Amino acid sequence: MSLRTLFTMSIRNLSGRRTRAILTMLAIIYSVALMITLETMTYGFKIAITSEVENILPTDLMVYSQSVSIPEAVAQVIAKLPHVSYVVPAIIISTAQVNGHAVTLIGIPSQYFSYFEVHMESGSLPMSNGEAIIQDTLAQRDNISIGDTIYVQVLTGIQGGSEVIPLKVTGTFSSILGGFLGFQLNMIVTPIGTLQNDLSDEGFINAIFIKLSQDNPTYLNQLATALSEYFPNADVYEQKSVLSSISNALSMVNLFFVVIIALSLLVTGLSVANTAIMNVRERTREIGILKALGASNSQVILIFLLEILLISIIGSVIGIVLGIAGAYLARYIMIRLNLPIIIPVILLPTLYVYSLIIAIATSVIASIPSLVSITKIRPMEVLRIE
């Protein structure tokens, strides 16, 4: 028999057992769709987080201390080192309060406001000491308008003492540095001189952002080690280390998803195996007749194998389409929920090919016992029983 004849017989047999074929196909569709959606979302999440970290921490190195104890002169010395492109000193205070509510107070040199990617909503940047811009969430919560004066209470750490810093609001902004180190809501940004003067910390800072002129991992590690030893109470962050930690965490999440996908494929394999067994049992007489008419074991097996391949290929293609749609649906839900990060949906042709191969391989492997049993069917015995 020709391949075309065998293919035609396979399609006819599938049509005659449509319900069973559809149920088996649904199992394949579910497994493939789940695989595509989870892997697409994981990959998109990794891309989004990596991009966010690069925006949040655009420098190669950041030194941060809870207390304002780092001499600003250190930043000037670092700026003169070889391979250093620029250095930005800053003061970041996360223990400040306005009207009894926690806020994050950030002092930045005026010339570096653009570096910190301040996204203005209204008004203008502070031009002199005593002025500040506030996050729009804080303005809405406390009904603060441009031109108002706010009073920021800052704990000094000396016997529970505190300082009150008056700041004139010149504008509002939506975000700065994407919310690094948890500074996501109710931020106040002012020239660094304001905080140094009012907190009697002239010449001192608690954060340094360092950017190298070229990618030099060895020099970066040496600089990070030296800063850690020089400031033992400060935290030193490397952009690549942060990205590596995030990548490791995502790998663990992806491993969990792989286990879920594997269990789904196992269920699919059992479904395909059950379908193959039922097909062989119900068509024992047909198999005997085909063999009596001269069909070889390989030709009969090929008929059943083509049925399995048709079910798995059609189910896989539909599953891939639904998996992509599922990723877009998940992204839409995230947008509707106003989550702080939006995962991009990136088409991954390689993933689709692998999914197709895995689905087909699972179906074929699951049907092997049934296909092997076909070789044990003897035409004369079957026809005599019938």
Side-chain angles (χ1 to χ4, degrees):
M1 287 185 288
S2 65
L3 181 60
R4 181 176 181 181
T5 302
L6 297 176
F7 186 75
T8 303
M9 292 177 65
S10 299
I11 294 178
R12 185 176 68 247
N13 291 331
L14 286 177
S15 300
R17 294 169 175 79
R18 191 174 304 167
T19 301
R20 184 180 299 159
I22 291 175
L23 291 176
T24 306
M25 195 179 298
L26 286 175
I28 297 173
I29 290 172
Y30 172 78
S31 296
V32 174
L34 182 66
M35 186 188 311
I36 296 297
T37 299
L38 292 181
E39 291 299 316
T40 300
M41 295 301 292
T42 301
Y43 183 78
F45 188 71
K46 182 177 181 179
I47 295 297
I49 289 295
T50 300
S51 176
E52 194 73 12
V53 169
E54 290 175 348
N55 289 331
I56 290 170
L57 190 57
T59 54
D60 296 301
L61 204 61
M62 175 186 174
V63 181
Y64 173 75
S65 173
Q66 290 287 345
S67 60
V68 184
S69 58
I70 302 175
E72 190 172 0
V74 172
Q76 298 171 1
V77 172
I78 295 174
K80 297 178 181 179
L81 294 176
H83 310 297
V84 174
S85 177
Y86 57 83
V87 176
V88 181
I91 295 178
I92 304 175
I93 301 174
S94 58
T95 57
Q97 291 186 349
V98 172
N99 297 329
H101 296 96
V103 298
T104 298
L105 185 60
I106 303 175
I108 305 172
S110 300
Q111 65 269 30
Y112 288 111
F113 271 97
S114 58
Y115 162 82
F116 280 84
E117 298 183 13
V118 180
H119 298 285
M120 296 295 297
E121 292 290 328
S122 61
S124 59
L125 294 171
M127 301 303 294
S128 59
N129 290 345
E131 297 180 340
I133 53 176
I134 64 176
Q135 194 167 11
D136 50 6
T137 54
L138 176 60
Q140 295 169 7
R141 188 195 70 187
D142 292 350
N143 194 27
I144 301 173
S145 302
I146 295 175
D148 291 348
T149 298
I150 59 175
Y151 296 89
V152 185
Q153 184 179 17
V154 179
L155 299 178
T156 60
I158 303 175
Q159 296 180 348
S162 63
E163 292 285 344
V164 176
I165 303 175
L167 297 172
K168 182 180 179 180
V169 178
T170 63
T172 62
F173 65 94
S174 58
S175 66
I176 176 173
L177 281 183
F180 188 52
L181 293 176
F183 308 140
Q184 296 181 358
L185 299 174
N186 304 327
M187 292 179 285
I188 301 173
V189 181
T190 185
I192 192 171
T194 300
L195 301 185
Q196 290 176 326
N197 292 336
D198 290 1
L199 297 177
S200 300
D201 284 323
E202 279 198 55
F204 288 89
I205 54 178
N206 72 340
I208 304 175
F209 296 85
I210 305 167
K211 181 68 176 179
L212 300 185
S213 57
Q214 58 186 2
D215 188 17
N216 191 330
T218 302
Y219 186 80
L220 182 64
N221 291 335
Q222 292 175 349
L223 182 58
T225 301
L227 289 171
S228 297
E229 294 175 353
Y230 195 76
F231 300 106
N233 296 324
D235 296 316
V236 179
Y237 301 92
E238 292 183 47
Q239 187 191 76
K240 290 185 177 180
S241 297
V242 174
L243 291 175
S244 178
S245 299
I246 292 173
S247 179
N248 292 335
L250 289 178
S251 295
M252 295 300 296
V253 173
N254 192 51
L255 179 61
F256 174 71
F257 287 161
V258 168
V259 172
I260 295 176
I261 293 170
L263 292 175
S264 175
L265 288 172
L266 177 61
V267 174
T268 298
L270 293 175
S271 177
V272 172
N274 179 69
T275 298
I277 291 171
M278 294 299 294
N279 281 345
V280 172
R281 286 182 178 179
E282 291 178 358
R283 294 157 62 184
T284 302
R285 184 172 184 275
E286 177 186 337
I287 294 170
I289 293 174
L290 287 172
K291 287 186 176 184
L293 293 175
S296 64
N297 282 327
S298 61
Q299 288 177 326
V300 178
I301 290 175
L302 187 56
I303 294 173
F304 286 84
L305 183 59
L306 286 173
E307 294 175 16
I308 297 298
L309 289 175
L310 285 171
I311 291 174
S312 59
I313 290 174
I314 295 173
S316 297
V317 172
I318 296 175
I320 290 171
V321 174
L322 292 180
I324 296 173
Y328 277 106
L329 177 61
R331 182 177 185 273
Y332 173 76
I333 292 174
M334 294 181 67
I335 294 174
R336 296 290 296 178
L337 293 176
N338 293 321
L339 295 181
I341 185 169
I342 303 301
I343 298 178
V345 177
I346 301 173
L347 300 180
L348 304 169
T350 304
L351 173 62
Y352 310 148
V353 173
Y354 286 154
S355 300
L356 181 63
I357 293 173
I358 291 172
I360 293 174
T362 301
S363 300
V364 172
I365 293 173
S367 63
I368 285 177
S370 300
L371 297 178
V372 171
S373 68
I374 292 176
T375 63
K376 300 177 182 180
I377 298 176
R378 297 180 179 180
M380 296 305 296
E381 293 180 0
V382 171
L383 295 176
R384 188 184 311 117
I385 294 173
E386 294 293 333

